[in-house]
Amino acid sequence: MQRVKYRRGNRRMELIKAAIIVTLIGLVVRVFVFMPYHNKSRDMENALYQGDFLLTSQLAYMTGEPKVGDLIVFEHPFKIDELTSGRIVAREGQTIELIDKEVIVDNEFMVDSDKVKFSDHRALSAEYSNRDNFGPVQIPAGAVYVLCDNRDEGEDSRHFGMVNIDTIKGKGLFVYWSWKPDPNAPEMESPYITPAISILFYNLFHFPSRIGWDRLFAGI
C-alpha cells in the first residue's frame, strides 16, 4: 500500500511540475516573443478589420531595425495605455512629403501597399488639412513615420507626429483570429450578472456567424 501511495504521489508531483513548466514557457513566449493585438478600428483596412486579432513578433526589432512596409503595433503618443497600429513609410534620416495623396520619400514616389485604400477622391489643400498634402519633413533619429492603410479615415503620423522606435511593441505577422462586431450583441452593464449571462448565450448561439472565417491567417 505504501508503495502504491508513493507512486501516486510521484505521479501527481510530476503532473504539477509539468503544468508549471508549460505555464512558465507560455508566459515567456507571451511576454518576450509574441504579443496578440486586438484591432478595434477601421484605420488599417484593408490589412486589418474591426475584430481582427493580430499576432505580432516582439523579437523582430530586438535583432533588427524597423523597415519601410512593416505593419507595427505601438503605444499611442497621446492616449495613455492604448496601443494602435500603422505601416512604416519612412525611417530616420529620410525625408517624406505628400502631394495630392501621393507619398514621396527622398524625392521618389513610393509604391503603396496593395492594402492601401482611399474613400475620398478629393485632394485637400495643405492650407486646410495635411491629410493629402504636407511636408517635406525629415524623420529624426530614433523615430519612424507611419501611415494608415485607410488613408482618408485613419489616424497616423499626420495627426500625432513621428513614432518613437522605443514605443514599438511588435511587428505584425498575420491575423490568427477574427471576431466580427455585432451591433445587436448585448453589452456589459450594471448589474453585471444578467448581462454576462445574456452575452454568453448570445455569443454561443451566434458563434459560427461571428467568426471572420475569411480573415483567419490572413496576411497583412
Side-chain angles (χ1 to χ4, degrees):
M1 291 295 294
Q2 290 181 351
R3 184 175 298 176
V4 172
K5 289 182 179 179
Y6 179 74
R7 289 177 179 174
R8 287 178 179 174
N10 276 353
R11 189 174 302 168
R12 187 178 295 110
M13 286 301 299
E14 289 174 0
L15 290 174
I16 292 173
K17 289 179 181 179
I20 292 173
I21 291 172
V22 169
T23 301
L24 290 175
I25 291 175
L27 287 173
V28 170
V29 170
R30 167 63 181 82
V31 174
F32 298 104
V33 183
F34 297 112
M35 181 191 74
Y37 168 69
H38 183 199
N39 180 60
K40 300 178 182 179
S41 75
R42 299 181 61 242
D43 289 0
M44 287 305 294
E45 292 181 358
N46 293 316
L48 294 177
Y49 289 82
Q50 287 180 302
D52 281 354
F53 286 80
L54 176 69
L55 189 68
T56 70
S57 168
Q58 298 187 89
L59 292 179
Y61 303 132
M62 293 182 183
T63 57
E65 295 293 326
K67 298 179 180 178
V68 171
D70 287 355
L71 192 160
I72 60 173
V73 173
F74 55 94
E75 298 173 2
H76 195 289
F78 297 149
K79 301 175 182 177
I80 299 174
D81 296 329
E82 181 173 322
L83 298 180
T84 188
S85 58
R87 195 178 297 279
I88 298 175
V89 293
R91 300 174 53 191
E92 60 181 26
Q94 293 185 309
T95 300
I96 183 173
E97 63 180 312
L98 253 67
I99 298 179
D100 294 340
K101 298 182 184 291
E102 295 279 354
V103 181
I104 302 172
V105 178
D106 291 340
N107 297 317
E108 293 187 6
F109 284 91
M110 179 179 179
V111 178
D112 284 326
S113 160
D114 59 0
K115 304 292 185 181
V116 171
K117 76 171 189 177
F118 299 92
S119 57
D120 186 356
H121 67 279
R122 298 173 301 167
L124 302 181
S125 168
E127 296 178 5
Y128 302 102
S129 170
N130 64 351
R131 187 191 73 176
D132 304 318
N133 288 277
F134 80 87
V137 295
Q138 187 173 38
I139 315 303
V144 293
Y145 200 96
V146 302
L147 290 177
C148 290
D149 286 349
N150 190 358
R151 288 285 169 80
D152 293 331
E153 299 180 40
E155 182 186 33
D156 50 37
S157 288
R158 292 171 293 180
H159 306 85
F160 48 66
M162 318 293 177
V163 173
N164 194 315
I165 291 177
D166 293 338
T167 66
I168 299 177
K169 294 300 182 182
K171 174 185 177 181
L173 300 176
F174 59 86
V175 176
Y176 68 91
W177 182 254
S178 187
W179 189 249
K180 296 178 182 178
D182 185 347
N184 298 317
E187 297 182 359
M188 184 65 72
E189 56 187 4
S190 179
Y192 299 106
I193 296 178
T194 302
I197 295 174
S198 298
I199 291 172
L200 174 62
F201 281 99
Y202 184 91
N203 287 332
L204 285 175
F205 184 77
H206 294 86
F207 186 80
S209 62
R210 292 204 65 182
I211 299 176
W213 298 102
D214 60 327
R215 299 295 303 151
L216 302 186
F217 305 108
I220 46 109

